[in-house]
Amino acid sequence: MKEFFLLFAAICSSVSSDEWKATVVKSIDALVGSCVVVPCSFSHTGGNLPTSRLRGMWHYKGKTPDTKGNNIFHSDATLIKDNFKDRTQMLGQLGQNNCTLEITQIRNHDNGPFCFRVELVKGERNEPTKDMFSFVEDCVELNMITDPGEPTLTQPMAATQGEPYTAICSVIHTCPSHVPTLTWNWKTERIIVYHRLIHSGNWETQSILTFIPEEKDDNRELTCTAEFNGGQTSSSKFTLNVKRIESYNHIIIPAVVGIGTALLFGIFCIFMAKKYKNRIAELQNQEGTMWNRLSRLSRNR
């Protein structure tokens, strides 16, 4: 997640470097089977040093960092506790004052508390110096969550047939390096996804769905499902109420048909009346001509 790393780099690079100091969340939720990212920034008295001149580690509070079994992360992988190997890594660069820690495949006993320690080293051989500090007053505890929280659905009260409708699904999580995936049981042509930091290591992933409801969508369930890193899922749903647009076709169509039929019938009647009128005139002319002939014949006799 590019935005995540850029944000933490900006925050950590602004930390003053004239004292030993760390900023770490005191506690953070961690979903069992998923992952968690512990935001952390620090400063030291060595001035601006590259990452190669710094050695970082995370260890159990009250335990000696240089002893195997006490570290959940160490620059020397041989000193990491066995059940944390391949599950922890530092995100960002120590040279940018970034001590952010990622833990994957969370187990229900990964509670902590865990503390960050930084050591200044010499040259390429990582030879230790006397400049080192364990921030035991700024440690983090993980709150184990066994079931993922349900997504939050935000939607208008009712949808209107044929008009754009927007529903928003959001979920809170603590693993921005592996964000949850939000899916809808709907056609997904117009979906926008956002990620944002809320506070103290809590992030929000948001999916915005926009579609045009139809009459057939009335009383249909709209479901949003969140799948978290590790495979756990949770979902929320609501019933869509579609307001139908009033249609007067049941009145207009019969009326138009009736008027059209009457008009055609009227034209037909006018046509037939004119036709018969002409026929009658023709017959009358024929009768007048025959009468004239008969009258002339009678005179001649």
Side-chain angles (χ1 to χ4, degrees):
M1 226 180 113
K2 183 177 180 181
E3 296 86 352
F4 161 68
F5 291 110
L6 290 175
L7 178 59
F8 269 103
I11 294 174
C12 296
S13 62
S14 64
V15 177
S16 173
S17 59
D18 58 357
E19 60 179 334
W20 297 100
K21 184 178 180 181
T23 302
V24 185
V25 293
K26 296 297 183 183
S27 65
I28 191 170
D29 292 341
L31 176 63
V32 175
S34 185
C35 55
V36 65
V37 171
V38 180
C40 171
S41 60
F42 72 102
S43 63
H44 56 84
T45 59
N48 295 323
L49 295 177
T51 300
S52 60
R53 292 285 312 280
L54 299 167
R55 182 165 60 183
M57 59 205 74
W58 282 84
H59 60 89
Y60 281 95
K61 185 175 184 178
K63 302 290 185 179
T64 304
D66 288 333
T67 303
K68 182 178 181 180
N70 294 340
N71 304 296
I72 64 171
F73 174 82
H74 198 288
S75 297
D76 182 352
T78 62
L79 294 178
I80 298 177
K81 189 175 182 179
D82 288 339
N83 67 343
F84 277 96
K85 284 185 176 180
D86 301 321
R87 293 202 296 127
T88 58
Q89 67 171 327
M90 296 276 285
L91 301 179
Q93 299 292 324
L94 292 176
Q96 297 176 346
N97 301 323
N98 189 339
C99 49
T100 298
L101 175 72
E102 178 193 62
I103 307 175
T104 60
Q105 303 172 39
I106 293 294
R107 300 170 184 175
N108 56 14
H109 51 74
D110 292 342
N111 306 77
F114 307 119
C115 310
F116 176 66
R117 175 183 175 89
V118 63
E119 299 177 354
L120 278 60
V121 297
K122 295 179 181 179
E124 297 179 357
R125 294 184 178 180
N126 287 337
E127 297 177 1
T129 68
K130 295 182 179 180
D131 294 321
M132 58 187 69
F133 199 88
S134 288
F135 301 96
V136 294
E137 300 300 323
D138 299 283
C139 303
V140 62
E141 286 193 75
L142 306 186
N143 303 317
M144 296 296 112
I145 305 297
T146 56
D147 297 312
E150 295 182 355
T152 299
L153 286 172
T154 305
Q155 77 282 345
M157 292 299 293
T160 301
Q161 177 186 348
E163 297 182 5
Y165 181 83
T166 297
I168 302 173
C169 178
S170 59
V171 66
I172 305 299
H173 63 94
T174 55
C175 189
S177 55
H178 301 280
V179 298
T181 301
L182 298 176
T183 56
W184 300 85
N185 66 331
W186 208 267
K187 43 201 173 199
T188 57
E189 291 84 356
R190 297 180 60 185
I191 289 183
I192 301 175
V193 178
Y194 292 105
H195 307 286
R196 67 186 183 98
L197 174 64
I198 300 176
H199 62 84
S200 304
N202 288 280
W203 292 74
E204 180 185 50
T205 295
Q206 189 178 84
S207 176
I208 302 175
L209 169 68
T210 302
F211 62 95
I212 305 295
E214 303 175 12
E215 184 177 350
K216 65 180 181 180
D217 296 326
D218 189 35
N219 291 322
R220 181 177 171 183
E221 284 190 344
L222 188 59
T223 304
C224 175
T225 301
E227 182 176 357
F228 298 82
N229 173 262
Q232 291 201 62
T233 62
S234 63
S235 61
S236 295
K237 61 184 178 181
F238 69 93
T239 301
L240 186 67
N241 296 314
V242 179
K243 182 180 179 181
R244 296 175 177 83
I245 296 177
E246 292 294 336
S247 175
Y248 297 96
N249 290 341
H250 63 290
I251 299 175
I252 295 174
I253 293 176
V256 170
V257 171
I259 293 172
T261 302
L263 184 59
L264 290 175
F265 182 74
I267 294 173
F268 176 75
C269 291
I270 292 172
F271 173 77
M272 294 302 294
K274 185 175 181 181
K275 181 178 179 180
Y276 282 112
K277 183 177 180 181
N278 292 338
R279 181 60 178 164
I280 292 171
E282 290 177 0
L283 292 175
Q284 288 176 346
N285 290 336
Q286 290 178 3
E287 289 179 357
T289 303
M290 187 176 295
W291 179 258
N292 291 336
R293 289 178 181 175
L294 292 173
S295 298
R296 285 198 296 270
L297 288 173
S298 59
R299 288 196 201 100
N300 292 336
R301 291 179 182 175

